[in-house]
Amino acid sequence: MLIRAATAADRAAIAEIIVPIIRAGESYALDRAMTAEQALAYWFAPGNSVFVAEVEGRVLGSYYCRANHAGGGGHVANCGYATQAQATGRGIARAMALHSFDHARAAGFRAMQFNFVVASNVRAVRLWLSVGFEQVGRLPGAFEHPSLGEVDALVLYRSL
């Protein structure tokens, strides 16, 4: 697996990964009707460093890394991750997580915080806890899941 900085040539592959996830509405608090262009604008927003995970030349995952907040919170990173649906369970998300820690450290961040991890996204929660995140908050019923109704969102934090 190769994890590298995303280029303009990766945009279509990234859209193929993130748009279905956004439309499913089960893990990102984003407008489910978001167009591919809007989704890519979100993923590649100014200040985001974007990476892709390639296996045998095929992009199977992507993540972005940015400052969680400006000013006094600028030393804490925030990331978003997405894996091609058919590639789940192959260690891609874990590899991207570990890569993001190295990238964030090299960029001068001293910690990483996830502000809104949907509690029903059990695979993601299990992964984040296994790589050193601690649950530091719970937002009861903060996420409107399309089939489960209101579910909690978690705030996760780890030092780098």
Side-chain angles (χ1 to χ4, degrees), residues 67-157:
N68 194 42
H69 291 287
H75 65 287
V76 178
N78 175 266
C79 296
Y81 307 82
T83 302
Q84 184 75 263
Q86 300 86 339
T88 58
R90 294 174 52 183
I92 294 166
R94 178 176 296 277
M96 290 191 298
L98 298 175
H99 186 276
S100 71
F101 302 158
D102 291 339
H103 168 75
R105 242 183 255 108
F109 294 109
R110 297 191 305 272
M112 190 173 288
Q113 180 175 321
F114 298 157
N115 305 312
F116 204 91
V117 179
V118 178
S120 60
N121 189 352
V122 176
R123 286 178 74 114
V125 173
R126 184 173 46 239
L127 171 61
W128 305 139
L129 295 176
S130 77
V131 295
F133 281 88
E134 293 180 55
Q135 180 182 322
V136 296
R138 178 177 287 269
L139 310 169
F143 183 75
E144 186 66 39
H145 191 281
S147 61
L148 301 175
E150 290 183 2
V151 298
D152 296 353
L154 308 176
V155 180
L156 304 179
Y157 183 88

Side-chain angles (χ1 to χ4, degrees), residues 8-126:
D10 296 315
R11 291 174 71 86
I14 293 170
E16 288 178 17
I17 295 169
I18 65 174
V19 170
I21 292 169
I22 293 168
R23 295 253 165 82
E26 297 175 344
S27 55
Y28 278 93
L30 297 170
D31 181 357
R32 293 174 65 191
M34 190 179 265
T35 66
E37 293 78 22
Q38 291 168 324
L40 286 168
Y42 170 80
W43 209 255
F44 283 91
N48 288 9
S49 298
V50 180
F51 295 86
V52 294
E54 276 185 347
V55 176
E56 298 176 358
R58 186 165 173 234
V59 173
L60 296 180
S62 181
Y63 81 87
Y64 65 79
C65 185
R66 63 182 177 209
N68 194 42
H69 291 287
H75 65 287
V76 178
N78 175 266
C79 296
Y81 307 82
T83 302
Q84 184 75 263
Q86 300 86 339
T88 58
R90 294 174 52 183
I92 294 166
R94 178 176 296 277
M96 290 191 298
L98 298 175
H99 186 276
S100 71
F101 302 158
D102 291 339
H103 168 75
R105 242 183 255 108
F109 294 109
R110 297 191 305 272
M112 190 173 288
Q113 180 175 321
F114 298 157
N115 305 312
F116 204 91
V117 179
V118 178
S120 60
N121 189 352
V122 176
R123 286 178 74 114
V125 173
R126 184 173 46 239

